[in-house]
Amino acid sequence: MNQVVITGTGLYTPEHSIDNDALVASFNAWVDAENTRRERAGDEERLAHSSSEFIVKASGIHSRHVLDAEGILDPERMRPRLRERDNEEPSIQCEMGARAAREALERAGLSADAIDLVIVGCSNLERPYPALAVELQAELGAGGYAFDMNVACSSATFAIETAANAIRAGSASRALVINPEICSAHLNFRDRDSHFIFGDACTAIVLERDDLATATERFEILGTRLVTRFSNAIRNNAGFLNRVTDADPLAVDKLFVQEGRRVFKEVCPMVATLIRDHLQSLGLGGDDLARMWLHQANRHMNDLIARRVLGRDPDEHEAPVILDRYANTSSAGSIIAFHLHRDDLTVGDNGVICSFGAGYSAGSVVVRRV
């Protein structure tokens, strides 16, 4: 079995950024207009304002990067405004993916033609087919084969295990895992409980056979472990059957919906157990971890999971937070944390990349700096 190392990562961050104050001003303007409309219609139910203080207390989020801020902040629209692409143009997610992938390849010291596997994993793909991964394979000039996969917020770690297994087994030598997340497109910006949650970003990871890698910085993959458990607590019912079931395409359930308190209670112990058991199977424990790159969905969830794994409160270096400025970027979140917070690790340091989300799904990737 071939040993697998991570040799490069890349990050595409959209230019537009929306802080909590701007998002709240837009939301509250819509609430005021909606409450006036309801009053005139004789509807006694009133909607409540949001606030920056509420958002920070609930999530730890202060701002988010998005592909389009103007459409989101327009109280009469409250969703991104993106141009439809011609079939002969690179798709939006292809463009995002190519930018992140080229940085990852540069860090790994590779040209795209050295890649023989491309996996695109994300929560929402902009089309069913042709596969976005195949489009990116062509855009980059990679070889081999490519395919898309979706395990919601865990898509990156699931794709890392899939790519690592292909390299271990010899069906690929070098792989690119790309996670283009346009979360702002499936977020209901008129839902007070979730209008602040998501941002947009794209990450890319290069995995190689250790004996082929030339990069100075390498992270050996010690092991991967995945778990899924079905739950309706996080759901999105948008799909190709909507038109044949005569479903309302603008219905609330065609966007992101969740039962936040239930998710917190059910996911945190599941993820902490996954990491602890995975570490134990590798002869490691919480004290052996120098870094935890956790899924960036909610500060309180990350603190609780890290506390259960480490047996104490983590410091800001052990469990770095990027959701304060990126918000929840679904599968890209833990990879952004890994991309931005690993340079200080030394040879022999261990870390875990962990994602968790809808499904439920969770993935653990334990790595060591070599």
Side-chain angles (χ1 to χ4, degrees):
M1 299 290 284
N2 298 311
Q3 182 54 52
V4 184
V5 290
I6 295 173
T7 56
T9 58
L11 170 62
Y12 165 68
T13 300
E15 295 179 3
H16 293 196
S17 180
I18 301 174
D19 64 18
N20 287 346
D21 288 346
L23 193 70
V24 165
S26 170
F27 178 84
N28 289 347
W30 172 78
V31 166
D32 290 341
E34 177 64 12
N35 282 340
T36 297
R37 185 195 67 79
R38 292 185 179 196
E39 183 178 3
R40 290 172 178 170
D43 186 346
E44 296 182 358
E45 184 180 3
R46 295 290 181 271
L47 300 176
H49 280 176
S50 184
S51 71
S52 296
E53 294 76 17
F54 160 70
I55 293 173
V56 173
K57 183 177 180 180
S59 65
I61 295 169
H62 292 263
S63 64
R64 69 283 299 144
H65 292 276
V66 295
L67 290 182
D68 174 67
E70 183 180 0
I72 293 170
L73 295 178
D74 179 354
E76 296 185 3
R77 180 177 176 86
M78 300 185 78
R79 64 185 187 274
R81 182 178 284 104
L82 303 178
R83 178 180 64 84
E84 185 175 9
R85 302 284 180 97
D86 182 87
N87 286 349
E88 301 307 313
E89 296 179 88
S91 65
I92 298 172
Q93 288 181 305
C94 176
E95 190 174 89
M96 297 169 67
R99 293 179 66 168
R102 289 184 177 116
E103 181 185 0
L105 288 167
E106 182 178 358
R107 284 174 172 246
L110 295 174
S111 59
D113 58 8
I115 300 294
D116 48 16
L117 170 59
V118 178
I119 303 176
V120 167
C122 57
S123 288
N124 292 281
L125 291 159
E126 62 181 282
R127 63 169 184 268
Y129 46 80
L132 185 69
V134 177
E135 183 185 5
L136 265 163
Q137 177 191 26
E139 177 72 16
L140 295 168
Y145 63 105
F147 60 89
D148 298 339
M149 62 184 295
N150 179 356
V151 202
C153 293
S154 296
S155 295
T157 52
F158 276 60
I160 288 172
E161 185 193 67
T162 303
N165 285 342
I167 295 172
R168 291 186 187 110
S171 62
S173 298
R174 296 183 173 98
L176 255 176
V177 170
I178 304 172
N179 316 107
E181 295 287 6
I182 311 178
C183 300
S184 62
H186 78 158
L187 179 57
N188 183 356
F189 285 97
R190 292 174 174 170
D191 177 11
R192 182 178 183 273
D193 290 335
S194 65
H195 75 109
F196 52 86
I197 289 179
F198 289 109
D200 303 331
C202 181
T203 51
I205 312 130
V206 174
L207 298 89
E208 303 184 66
R209 266 175 39 190
D210 184 48
D211 62 321
L212 297 179
T214 60
T216 302
E217 182 193 58
R218 306 183 197 183
F219 283 84
E220 176 186 357
I221 296 180
L222 300 182
T224 56
R225 182 169 290 193
L226 313 176
V227 64
T228 54
R229 182 189 306 163
F230 183 72
S231 171
N232 277 316
I234 310 172
R235 192 168 179 119
N236 182 330
N237 287 329
F240 81 104
L241 290 180
N242 294 157
R243 64 183 295 269
V244 297
T245 59
D246 297 329
D248 179 1
L250 299 179
V252 170
D253 73 319
K254 304 305 184 292
L255 300 171
F256 167 84
V257 291
Q258 74 166 354
E259 300 173 50
R261 290 185 176 85
R262 178 182 165 194
V263 170
F264 188 93
K265 291 179 180 179
E266 295 176 349
V267 169
C268 288
M270 182 182 83
V271 174
T273 299
L274 169 69
I275 297 174
R276 287 199 307 260
D277 290 351
H278 190 195
L279 290 172
Q280 185 177 11
S281 73
L282 297 169
L284 302 171
D287 291 340
D288 297 305
L289 291 178
R291 195 67 36 92
M292 298 181 71
W293 300 284
L294 298 176
H295 174 51
Q296 303 289 311
N298 182 287
R299 178 66 184 266
H300 305 299
M301 295 183 75
N302 283 14
D303 287 346
L304 178 57
I305 291 167
R307 191 179 307 121
R308 291 191 175 188
V309 172
L310 299 175
R312 54 178 172 75
D313 289 334
D315 64 37
E316 61 181 10
H317 300 292
E318 290 173 308
V321 173
I322 59 93
L323 68 84
D324 55 344
R325 60 192 187 279
Y326 276 88
N328 183 346
T329 53
S330 191
S331 68
S334 59
I335 310 303
I336 297 175
F338 177 65
H339 176 79
L340 296 177
H341 295 279
R342 71 170 189 265
D343 291 345
D344 60 319
L345 296 185
T346 59
V347 172
D349 283 344
N350 301 312
V352 60
I353 304 169
C354 183
S355 60
F356 41 90
Y360 296 127
S361 62
S364 170
V365 180
V366 178
V367 298
R368 175 175 293 158
R369 176 76 162 86
V370 293

